[in-house]
Every structure is written in structure tokens, then in C-alpha cells.
Amino acid sequence: ACTRWPREPWCNSLLTRCAGWLSAFSGGASLKMRQPMWHLLLCFAAACGLLGAHHALHAPAEAPATKGHHWPTPKSSLAGQLRGDATRDTFPAGGPSPPSNIFFEASVPADAPRRNTRVHLQDMRAAPSSVSMDSATPPAVVLGIATAPKNTGHRSWIRQTWLTLPNVLAGSKSGSGHNRSAVGPLVAAFFLVGVLTPAATAHEPSVVDALANEQAKHGDIELLNARETKPPGEKMVAFFRLCVVGFSHATWCVKTDDDTYVQTVRLAINLNILWEEQREPASHRMIYLGATLWASYRPQSFQVCGHGMGPMMAASASKNERCADRGGVGPFPYAAGTLEVLSMPLAQWLAREENVARFVQRAHATNPPAWSLGEDTVLGMWVHESPFKITALHWGWDKIHDLCFKCFDKTQLWKPISTSSVVVHIKGHQANLHNFVNVHRNFSRICGAQCQQAKLSFDVPSLADLCRRGQISTVYSKCRMVR
């Protein structure tokens, strides 16, 4: 395993080295086949034990515990996670639900130090191994790209295009040497892979080996203790928890998908502008944004209900489908899964919210997965049920849109690249290297350096603005907070 994930701290531990020496000394064979060597092996093991005791006695004192939540110590290595070794105790089948304040990112240790400036991969596993922090400035935006283990093509296309943008910190081998001057706030970007199949079992050995080889080559994959589902509900929650723990000095946690092109310079600059415009103290800046749709949701049955493009359409659909009578929450707006943005304070609230933890635990207990639709809808529901006077800010379908080529009807969600584009969804059969490269070129051609610095306005900039429009306040319960 250490040959596959050599940066794992346990690979350099004294116990692992002793085990390796013992294995090498015995030739990898069982002790039954080497009976004459028993006394030598026992002496060797005792020597390792004495050396370990000496190491423990003379090890430096532990750093004082940080304030806030105590995160659980991982039960195994990343390689072990891929094979499912860490999941049996974490999610016992048929057993009682774990405490609601326990989170499950086994890639984040309890004793990971937190820096105010430079992040060092060798001593901070909380920062994903994908990120090369060769700048003294920590990333402002943490961008997780949901991907399936088999989607090697999608990851390759993204690596060849938008991960090369000048403000992206992606991959320990490709991140160094970038000129980081005048390119906007830094973005730490990496791919998100769940260590479990949809059936909550370990991946096949061939999948494990392929992922390990890809990680060794690129170093931009982060393993999450979650199931691989589509849409990636469990991975979405796992990412936001990882962002909160591993990048506490970042400002934004952003989730996207591997069939999406993100103009990271433009995204980071506009998020920075939005952050600086807020009047509240930094710790109270609860912001949720994207390109919004509307729906209700039935949390007990994990079902979307009453979907619509806008509030009045969703309210009508909710009434026709009797969503409220069937335990539905809503209607409410939610950011479509192409780009889901949370400010760090809101992500921290989400990661610590007991109702969120219970929902995820209950969803994970179902097999086959019941949370198979509405990953983005559920995030919108949680924000809707939050105590904060906020809504999903709608950036507009001209900034976040599906890609089209001839684009006969430009009033729809499918649009060509324009001077307003920030995030482009390259759907289904369109997702290939040719189209990713063309989008990459067209972004540079259509929107140059000055264009990328421009502020892009929000179609819905606040809850108060939304509730002043038409009859929305009659169907959107959150409007009661601004009357």
C-alpha cells in the first residue's frame, strides 16, 4: 500500500518500518515454513518493540488541542479506505447510528495542525494530497470535482484544460512554478472519489490499482469515506466537511462535477468581490449561491417533489403533487449541482448541524441507496431550514449554463460561451477532449484579462430582493424573515 500512496504518514511510522523489516527478513513467507528462524524473528520483534518504546519516550510533545470540534482519528490509511477496511466500524450494517456529532472523513486526522500561512503536505494530511501549496497565501476557494472512478477521460480532459489556469493549485507535480501574480485569489482544486461502491462495499482490486496509479502520477484525487452514487449526495456532504476541517482558512467551499468547465480566475475574483461587499463580521457571512431551480423535498422518503424553474411554478407543482401532505418541505430555491457554493461560515454550520448528520446516516443505512436523486435539492433544503436570513443567490443562467453549439434558442439554459460565462456544463455525449479544449480556447478568446476581472451581477442578490418580487412572498416561507 505504501508504494501506492507513499505520502501517507503511516508509511513512515516506526511500526510500519519494523513490519517491513520483519517481512523482508522472513522473505515474505509464513513462519510455519521457517521454523528454524523462530528465535531470530522473536528477537528481532523484541528489538523493534524496544526501539518503539524509546521512540515514544523521546518523541516531541503533542501540540495543544485546537478549540472547536474534535474530529475522529482515521481508522486506516487511504489505501485501506479504497479496499473498504475503514468502513465496517464506521458504518456497521444494521447497527445503531453513530452519534450525530461524529463525521466520517477518514482522510482528516484529529491532530492535523492548522497553519495561518503556508500549508505543508508532509505534516498536514487535512489538506488533500492533490494540492501543492507552493505559495505562502492559502487558497481562498476550495473546489471539489465530483467524479466516478471509471471517469478517467473526464479527469484527463479537465487536467489538460481548466486545471492549467494560473490561479489553480492542482496536483503536487503540476502546481509548482506557476506565476501566481495578478491572477486572482487562489483555488485549490481536486477530484472527489468515494471509497465505497453504491452497495457500500469495497471497490474491485482493478479499480483500486487504477486509482492508486493515477494518484501516483497526478496527485489530485481526494478519497472520501462515502458511497459512489449518482448524483453524489454522500460525497457532496463529505466534501463540505473535508473543506471545513482541512481548509479552515479558506473563504469558500465549492462543489462541481467532472462534466463541467470552470473559469477559475473569473469565479474566484467574483467570489472575492461578493465576500468583501458583505457588511456582517466574517464569521456571520452565510452565503449560498449558484444557478437556482425550485422544488420541495420529502426527507423521510428521500424524494424530490413539486419541481419548477421558479417559485410560482414550483408552488403549483407542489400543490398538485400534495407535497406538504406527504411530508414535503418547501418550495425553496436550490443551486443546481453544476456549481454549489457555500461560504466557509455556512459550510461550518452545515458540517456541525445534527439534522444534516442524521439525514446522511439514515441515507447511508439504505441499500440500495435511497438518496439517488436530488443531491443539490437536499443542500437547498438544509439552507432553507437554517435559522439564517438567507436564500440561494441566483447568479443567472448566463453565468452558469449548459453548452450548445448552434444555439438556435438562446433564451433557454443551453448557451454558447459569452462574456458572461463562468461555468459551462458539457453534458453527456458532448463531454470529450475536443469540446473541453474548444471551450478552453473560446473562453480565452472571448473573455480576456480585463473581462475576467469584471464584476458579474446576481439576478437574485438577496432574500429581501427575492421576496419583493410579485407574489413570491405568498409561496416562499423564508420571506417571513424579512417582513
Side-chain angles (χ1 to χ4, degrees), residues 66-71 352:
T66 57
K67 295 180 180 180
H69 281 269
H70 241 358
W71 307 102
R352 295 163 182 161

Side-chain angles (χ1 to χ4, degrees), residues 144-169:
I145 310 162
T147 183
K150 66 179 181 179
N151 288 3
T152 55
H154 290 70
R155 294 191 289 277
S156 175
W157 307 331
I158 290 175
R159 290 185 185 112
Q160 295 178 63
T161 55
W162 63 267
L163 285 191
T164 66
L165 292 172
N167 68 331
V168 174
L169 299 164

Side-chain angles (χ1 to χ4, degrees), residues 68-211:
H69 281 269
H70 241 358
W71 307 102
T73 303
K75 296 191 176 183
S76 74
S77 66
L78 290 180
Q81 289 180 56
L82 272 175
R83 292 182 171 81
D85 299 342
T87 60
R88 289 187 293 273
D89 293 330
T90 306
F91 298 111
S97 297
S100 60
N101 64 333
I102 298 298
F103 305 138
F104 302 110
E105 279 57 67
S107 58
V108 182
D111 57 350
R114 298 192 179 189
R115 304 273 197 252
N116 288 324
T117 54
R118 189 182 179 101
V119 179
H120 296 272
L121 289 177
Q122 63 267 29
D123 64 2
M124 185 174 179
R125 287 186 60 227
S129 56
S130 58
V131 182
S132 175
M133 299 299 181
D134 58 351
S135 169
T137 304
V141 179
V142 181
L143 180 54
I145 310 162
T147 183
K150 66 179 181 179
N151 288 3
T152 55
H154 290 70
R155 294 191 289 277
S156 175
W157 307 331
I158 290 175
R159 290 185 185 112
Q160 295 178 63
T161 55
W162 63 267
L163 285 191
T164 66
L165 292 172
N167 68 331
V168 174
L169 299 164
S172 59
K173 295 182 180 180
S174 62
S176 59
H178 279 209
N179 177 10
R180 308 214 188 277
S181 60
V183 293
L186 299 182
V187 175
F190 44 87
F191 296 100
L192 307 174
V193 173
V195 300
L196 300 175
T197 67
T201 59
H203 291 295
E204 292 294 325
S206 59
V207 175
V208 174
D209 292 340
L211 284 171

Side-chain angles (χ1 to χ4, degrees), residues 4-19:
R4 291 171 171 163
W5 306 92
R7 282 196 291 262
E8 291 302 296
W10 59 267
C11 288
N12 293 318
S13 70
L14 186 66
L15 179 61
T16 304
R17 292 201 300 271
C18 282

Side-chain angles (χ1 to χ4, degrees), residues 413-483:
L413 306 186
W414 297 272
K415 291 178 171 59
I417 304 298
S418 72
T419 55
S420 298
S421 298
V422 181
V423 176
V424 178
H425 184 201
I426 307 176
K427 299 183 66 174
H429 66 283
Q430 296 179 345
N432 54 55
L433 178 59
H434 174 78
N435 287 338
F436 267 88
V437 169
N438 279 340
V439 169
H440 189 59
R441 290 172 179 167
N442 284 335
F443 254 115
S444 301
R445 177 179 59 84
I446 295 171
C447 187
Q450 185 174 357
C451 169
Q452 293 173 22
Q453 299 282 333
K455 174 185 174 180
L456 298 172
S457 62
F458 282 81
D459 289 8
V460 177
S462 68
L463 175 63
D465 175 85
L466 177 63
C467 293
R468 285 193 295 265
R469 302 184 184 190
Q471 300 299 311
I472 292 177
S473 62
T474 64
V475 299
Y476 183 31
S477 62
K478 203 83 171 175
C479 290
R480 298 169 189 159
M481 302 183 76
V482 295
R483 286 177 182 171

